[in-house]
Amino acid sequence: MSARIPTLDITRFDTDREAFVAELGAAYREWGFAGIRNHGIPQARIDAAYDVFKRFFALPDDAKTRYHLPGSGGARGYTAFGVETAKDSKHFDLKEFWHIGREIPDDSKYRDVMPPNLWPDEVPGFREHGYGLYEALDQLGSRVLSALALHIGLPETYFTDKTDSGNSILRPIHYPPITADDIPNVRAGAHEDINLITLLVGASAAGLEVRSKQGEWVPFTSDADTIVVNIGDMLQRLTNHVYPSTTHRVTNPPGEQARQPRYSVPFFLHPNPDFLIDVLPSTITPENPTRYPEPITAQGYLEERLREIKLK
């Protein structure tokens, strides 16, 4: 793993809080990325989720496309290979994926923008293991946000009531084997994430690269027990770019490695749909004047961005 993008032990948030918050904040100011280890999510839970996700992607195409919801922007269920395209990219990404969202009651005020989940009948345990991982990552993401809040002078609980009904998404991804050497597409084109933070489970396969402030592409292949957590555009906007949403991509591996499938599972942690993304006063200084004089709701921002990446 690159020594330049730090990996930190999140148990220090309980045992050595001030130092941990300072180190985590410094990592995000510089990179927008950090590895989190000793995160408390059992490997057996992660492995069980990966198993059901792989079994779904192994189904015939006609079985998978039964779970595609046209006109939904891919908010729930299946999105086929060759759809999502990174902003400003000429070529679609080489991937297919599934979306699991938050389970909320039908009478929730957010039901119109947070539809019910779909669950594939063909894969026993998909709901149990998929949503179990969703909940575990949701809790871990809340701990990371608590530390980041402290780092910029906010109460530890600042994000709690702003994300408790967040429109967060767990996205199991399958990158199929690449069978030609001269394709212009990559597995995931250079992009920034839309949400507050992203937690990536299973970045132990090579391919993830992060662009440094100097413009250099830095590989970030984590240890198996590490979850990679990066800043998204919503948190960048909220913090007036104190925390940068860093460009990253998933490259195609060389030679025979490209003939192997790749799987990854990011969790995109979002605020509640009606949360107003308005630059935090504590992040505005004479050297860093506000970049966003007009606030926008999380849902409004999400819809704007989904149109740009051809999911809406």
Side-chain angles (χ1 to χ4, degrees):
M1 189 170 109
S2 167
R4 290 184 289 176
I5 301 176
T7 291
L8 300 171
D9 180 346
I10 198 167
T11 61
R12 291 176 55 229
F13 188 47
D14 299 319
T15 61
D16 190 15
R17 174 160 297 191
E18 192 172 329
F20 174 79
V21 166
E23 289 172 32
L24 189 74
Y28 283 122
R29 281 175 180 264
E30 176 62 28
W31 286 102
F33 269 77
I36 299 293
R37 65 170 178 262
N38 289 332
H39 44 73
I41 301 176
Q43 190 61 42
R45 166 160 279 176
I46 296 169
D47 292 344
Y50 262 87
D51 178 62
V52 294
F53 299 152
K54 289 178 181 179
R55 283 193 278 136
F56 171 78
F57 289 123
L59 293 173
D61 285 345
D62 59 347
K64 290 185 286 192
T65 53
R66 284 178 48 211
Y67 298 100
H68 172 64
L69 295 175
S72 71
R76 300 291 183 271
Y78 176 66
T79 295
F81 184 79
V83 176
E84 185 171 18
T85 305
K87 183 182 175 183
D88 300 327
S89 177
K90 296 178 184 175
H91 306 289
F92 59 76
D93 291 347
L94 300 178
K95 66 189 181 194
E96 58 180 344
F97 54 88
W98 181 277
H99 275 176
I100 298 171
R102 187 178 302 280
E103 297 271 70
I104 59 173
D106 284 335
D107 61 358
S108 166
K109 64 178 179 177
Y110 300 128
R111 180 50 98 198
D112 61 329
V113 294
M114 292 170 63
N117 279 305
L118 295 180
W119 304 108
D121 299 328
E122 298 88 342
V123 183
F126 191 103
R127 179 175 188 162
E128 174 195 351
H129 297 301
Y131 202 68
L133 185 58
Y134 182 108
E135 292 182 308
L137 290 167
D138 197 31
Q139 291 170 14
L140 177 61
S142 294
R143 292 190 75 200
V144 174
L145 286 175
S146 294
L148 291 177
L150 290 171
H151 181 251
I152 53 174
L154 298 171
E156 179 184 346
T157 57
Y158 174 79
F159 287 102
T160 304
D161 64 351
K162 300 165 182 66
T163 57
D164 56 356
S165 294
N167 194 5
S168 302
I169 293 289
L170 186 72
R171 174 191 275 192
I173 304 172
H174 171 223
Y175 303 97
I178 297 168
T179 54
D181 295 325
D182 55 354
I183 58 170
N185 316 59
V186 293
R187 282 181 158 169
H191 66 284
E192 301 82 42
D193 293 344
I194 298 170
N195 39 290
L196 285 174
I197 57 173
T198 300
L199 295 86
L200 179 61
V201 188
S204 52
L208 176 63
E209 295 184 347
V210 178
R211 191 160 68 196
S212 72
K213 288 182 176 177
Q214 291 72 41
E216 175 190 5
W217 286 105
V218 178
F220 192 22
T221 304
S222 68
D223 297 328
D225 62 347
T226 297
I227 290 176
V228 175
V229 184
N230 65 277
I231 305 298
D233 288 350
M234 289 183 181
L235 191 56
Q236 172 177 262
R237 181 169 176 147
L238 185 67
T239 63
N240 204 28
H241 291 232
V242 167
Y243 297 136
S245 177
T246 305
T247 304
H248 53 287
R249 66 187 182 185
V250 180
T251 59
N252 300 343
E256 282 307 304
Q257 291 178 42
R259 312 295 186 250
Q260 301 299 315
R262 184 181 192 271
Y263 300 88
S264 71
V265 184
F267 177 75
F268 301 112
L269 194 154
H270 283 257
N272 301 351
D274 53 2
F275 172 64
L276 198 63
I277 306 172
D278 196 4
V279 173
L280 292 164
S282 63
T283 63
I284 300 170
T285 64
E287 299 76 32
N288 189 31
T290 184
R291 300 162 192 252
Y292 303 100
E294 294 296 324
I296 187 171
T297 65
Q299 184 63 26
Y301 188 75
L302 174 62
E303 291 179 1
E304 187 179 283
R305 290 294 305 278
L306 289 176
R307 286 190 288 270
E308 292 175 349
I309 61 173
K310 309 215 166 53
L311 284 182
K312 202 163 179 70

